Amino acid sequence: IEHLSEGLRCDYHIGEFRQTAAIKGRPDSILHVRNIMVPGMALAPAFGLKFNGYIDVPETGIYTFYLTSNDGSVLYIGDQKVIDNDGAHADKQIGGQAALEKGLHSFRLDFAELGGGYALRLLYSFKGSDPKTVPDEWLKSIIK
């Protein structure tokens, strides 16, 4: 795929979304972020974020991802739902595994915040390593 840049597209939707699947329609803003995080401009008491792009893994193997969120979040890599941490809840971490070939895979992470405090963090481990943040340079998106 040509014309890839580092980072992900992040669609910001203002509103209350009880499930990430309810985040639909035209975003209120479109941002470009370097990694999975809640952008500083996300000031609405309730909002949804849809991160889209690619993950470029350096080695073939089984990757374990750990998604912490408050409230709901869902991670998709390729056509696989890797982690379902959806719904209204306090900080909660859920892990999931994906067998990935070296190279680019489509990547999507949806996040819904219903108000109050929020948390959003994505870690990974590979070959038994301690969980660490997914490197910025692994996350890519198409420049239009």
Side-chain angles (χ1 to χ4, degrees):
I1 298 173
E2 54 190 271
H3 308 301
L4 282 180
S5 68
E6 280 193 11
L8 298 169
R9 174 183 163 138
C10 176
D11 292 354
Y12 172 65
H13 298 259
I14 296 170
E16 277 193 24
F17 307 100
R18 294 223 152 271
Q19 299 286 320
T20 58
I23 306 169
K24 293 185 172 131
R26 187 185 200 131
D28 292 285
S29 299
I30 298 171
L31 311 162
H32 190 82
V33 295
R34 301 211 27 93
N35 210 314
I36 298 300
M37 39 84 81
V38 175
M41 56 77 64
L43 300 174
F47 57 88
L49 300 173
K50 291 175 89 73
F51 298 90
N52 284 285
Y54 297 91
I55 186 167
D56 189 5
V57 295
E59 276 185 73
T60 296
I62 296 174
Y63 289 78
T64 303
F65 293 92
Y66 305 93
L67 182 56
T68 301
S69 67
N70 169 357
D71 288 290
S73 57
V74 181
L75 171 65
Y76 304 87
I77 298 176
D79 56 5
Q80 178 186 358
K81 184 189 288 185
V82 178
I83 299 173
D84 186 343
N85 195 4
D86 213 349
H89 55 75
D91 291 25
K92 181 166 77 170
Q93 182 182 77
I94 293 186
Q97 292 188 318
L100 301 173
E101 297 287 324
K102 175 183 173 161
L104 286 172
H105 303 269
S106 64
F107 177 95
R108 189 174 112 217
L109 192 149
D110 297 342
F111 171 70
E113 168 52 33
L114 283 161
Y118 59 78
L120 179 61
R121 191 169 73 237
L122 181 65
L123 304 175
Y124 83 99
S125 69
F126 186 65
K127 295 184 176 174
S129 71
D130 285 336
K132 51 190 162 282
T133 302
V134 173
D136 290 356
E137 57 271 12
W138 287 17
L139 300 172
K140 316 240 184 244
S141 57
I142 296 172
I143 300 175
K144 298 209 176 201

